[in-house]
Amino acid sequence: FPVTIESAKISYAPDFGGLVGNSSKDDCRKTLGISESDLLILVYGHLTMRKGLLQLLNAMLDPRMPRRIRIMIAGDMEEELKSQLFSGNYQALINDGRILCNLFFHSEHDEFKVFNASDFVWLGYIDGFYSSSGVLFKAASLGIPVVAMDRGLISEIVNENELGVCVNPLSTSSIIGGIINLIKLTNNEPDASRKNRHFLKLHSSEHHADVVHHALIRACNK
């Protein structure tokens, strides 16, 4: 990564993810009940066991996890995962406000609000998830650092472009250590996630459309 295409017959149209909204971060956080002192990790999308949510929640039960951390679970959730989420193990975290649940399909407005309110985004996927992720590019579009899996294409993109930290999502110690390191990184260099402007430009809807447009022109001129 990045991919280089040698053949004139092939064009690489990069993945992209955009968000639509203009509310300030402070307004989004107030609407969702997030205080200034909270550090919010967003888990977003179609929520299945493969998202590694239970592994993140188990890390929340560990006393080594900073108390400032809150988890926002946003999206539609499969029943198997939902039954475990509302079991006795995690109910105390929900009651304490350390886990926030918005378990419904999010409109563009809702989507922008939860992303813009967040400090970090969770991408600690498990069970053979090696492909790309639209959630990654949505987070990158707002410069939000990610806590990502340590393998596959997501790991390659995050490491290459300094978009956050990579952890072993099956290891509680790795998850907690990665989150603590990310807090230190963002405290020392708050704009670190925005350093790679080339990445954001490359993975934009405008660039994607340009690549497709020029490929179609070349095809029509053959």
Side-chain angles (χ1 to χ4, degrees), residues 43-53 122 124-126 135:
V43 185
Y44 181 80
H46 177 56
L47 302 166
T48 70
M49 300 294 283
R50 297 179 69 198
K51 293 280 184 163
L53 173 60
W122 173 254
Y125 302 158
I126 60 173
V135 175

Side-chain angles (χ1 to χ4, degrees), residues 52-145:
L53 173 60
L54 296 183
Q55 285 69 25
L56 176 60
L57 298 187
N58 287 334
M60 287 288 288
L61 293 169
D62 193 294
R64 293 173 295 171
M65 179 68 81
R67 289 287 300 181
R68 297 171 61 197
I69 295 293
R70 300 286 183 271
I71 306 297
M72 168 66 73
I73 307 171
D76 59 305
M77 180 178 289
E78 67 177 9
E79 288 303 318
E80 179 185 4
L81 181 56
K82 188 180 292 186
S83 66
Q84 296 201 42
L85 171 62
F86 293 106
S87 71
N89 289 339
Y90 310 117
Q91 195 62 52
L93 293 174
I94 295 172
N95 295 341
D96 196 32
R98 297 184 67 201
I99 298 176
L100 309 173
C101 299
N102 283 359
L103 303 184
F104 55 84
F105 176 80
H106 281 50
S107 66
E108 284 188 343
H109 172 75
D110 296 326
E111 182 180 62
F112 177 81
K113 184 166 61 176
V114 294
F115 272 91
N116 201 32
S118 301
D119 296 286
F120 312 126
V121 172
W122 173 254
L123 293 169
Y125 302 158
I126 60 173
D127 291 340
F129 194 107
Y130 296 114
S131 61
S132 183
S133 164
V135 175
L136 170 59
F137 298 106
K138 291 179 187 295
S141 72
L142 291 181
I144 304 172

Side-chain angles (χ1 to χ4, degrees), residues 8 11 17 24 31 38 41-42 67 84-85 88 102-103 108 111 121 123 143 147 158 190 199-201 206 210-211:
S11 297
S24 70
T31 300
D38 291 340
I41 300 177
L42 174 64
R67 289 287 300 181
Q84 296 201 42
L85 171 62
N102 283 359
L103 303 184
E108 284 188 343
E111 182 180 62
V121 172
L123 293 169
V147 183
V158 171
F199 174 84
L200 295 178
K201 183 178 180 180
E206 293 81 6
D210 283 345
V211 171

